[in-house]
Amino acid sequence: MALHYVCRHCQSQVGTLDQERLATTNLGFDVLTNAERQNMISFMSNGDLEIKTICEECQEALDQSPHYHEQQTFLQ
């Protein structure tokens, strides 16, 4: 099983953890609410997980333009 971290805004690949056994408690998934888990974690058809995160570039854009948080998407 692999975990693929993908930016929720620009869809860029942020990183991948590829290991046979991963403890979700070590990844912090246990502190998420059910709604947060449903929003952030998706099962892929091959059994891997896709985790929605925010890449550095999008985080910088959000930091520089806080009104972007009000929008569903801010990329053009």
Side-chain angles (χ1 to χ4, degrees):
M1 172 178 74
L3 281 81
H4 303 281
Y5 289 83
V6 177
C7 181
R8 69 174 57 254
H9 299 290
C10 69
Q11 306 305 313
S12 66
Q13 184 82 7
V14 176
T16 298
L17 294 174
D18 190 12
Q19 298 192 6
E20 286 295 314
R21 301 180 114 202
L22 293 169
T24 58
T25 54
N26 291 344
L27 299 169
F29 296 164
D30 59 321
V31 298
L32 299 174
T33 66
N34 285 336
E36 289 170 330
R37 271 191 224 98
Q38 289 178 347
N39 189 28
M40 294 177 64
I41 303 170
S42 304
F43 288 93
M44 300 171 70
S45 61
N46 65 355
D48 290 352
L49 295 176
E50 181 177 277
I51 313 301
K52 296 290 185 192
T53 189
I54 300 175
C55 70
E56 290 181 25
E57 291 82 9
C58 289
Q59 185 61 52
E60 285 180 22
L62 289 166
D63 290 343
Q64 292 173 6
S65 303
H67 65 279
Y68 286 167
H69 286 281
E70 301 169 3
Q71 302 172 8
Q72 185 76 357
T73 183
F74 59 90
L75 298 177
Q76 297 181 6

